[in-house]
Amino acid sequence: MPEKVAIEMTVNGKRYEGLVEPRLSLADFLRDQLGLTGTHLGCEQGICGSCTVLFNGETVRSCLLLAVQAQGGAILRVEGLAAKAKNGAPLHPIQQGFIETLGFQCGFCTPGFLITIYEFLGENPSPSEAEIRER
Ligand code: FES
């Protein structure tokens, strides 16, 4: 059995520590060791995007990133979006928009979509329809 490695990272603004096997994915660390199950696993091969989180300000597929590679980093997951809502709103405007337009559909991949859109609007707050479709 491989030797475990001590890691620490910030998730949604809260510091966490763990002891992990070097091959453990960030997604499995978040879900199984930290009990943060808001990020979902679909394909587990980097295609579907369900597991997308923001890592040090950039989206990553948490099924492809090893937990040890996230050592010392800052992770924003879907639960952390609501904390970024303003004026006392319970949800981030992106989350509210998904509800109002039924954008969540079945909801399984919604956490990945929300984080992807959050990153996109941070880079381009007023995208054209073409830019949205491209993204
Ligand atoms: Fe599909 Fe990670 S679970 S991209």
Side-chain angles (χ1 to χ4, degrees):
M1 184 168 256
E3 193 170 317
K4 292 193 174 182
V5 178
I7 60 170
E8 61 86 21
M9 65 187 72
T10 303
V11 182
N12 297 335
K14 183 177 174 186
R15 188 172 180 275
Y16 290 90
E17 296 177 348
L19 204 54
V20 301
E21 289 187 13
R23 65 180 181 174
L24 185 73
S25 73
L26 176 61
D28 286 341
F29 175 68
L30 294 169
R31 291 181 55 84
D32 300 340
Q33 290 203 19
L34 302 186
L36 302 172
T37 56
T39 298
H40 296 160
L41 283 168
C43 66
E44 298 192 56
Q45 52 187 316
I47 296 170
C48 74
S50 297
C51 67
T52 302
V53 299
L54 214 60
F55 172 60
N56 291 340
E58 294 187 15
T59 51
V60 296
R61 303 286 200 256
S62 63
C63 70
L64 297 182
L65 192 72
L66 297 173
V68 294
Q69 293 175 296
Q71 158 63 23
I75 309 289
L76 178 68
R77 300 157 27 89
V78 64
E79 305 93 333
L81 272 186
K84 294 185 174 295
K86 295 195 168 86
N87 302 321
L91 296 174
H92 188 277
I94 298 170
Q95 293 171 302
Q96 190 61 43
F98 263 58
I99 290 172
E100 292 172 5
T101 62
L102 300 179
F104 48 82
Q105 298 181 22
C106 82
F108 189 82
C109 62
T110 301
F113 269 102
L114 292 170
I115 292 296
T116 301
I117 293 167
Y118 178 79
E119 177 191 50
F120 178 49
L121 292 178
E123 298 166 357
N124 183 357
S126 298
S128 67
E129 183 173 333
E131 290 168 326
I132 293 168
R133 290 188 182 282
E134 173 65 23
R135 185 58 169 255

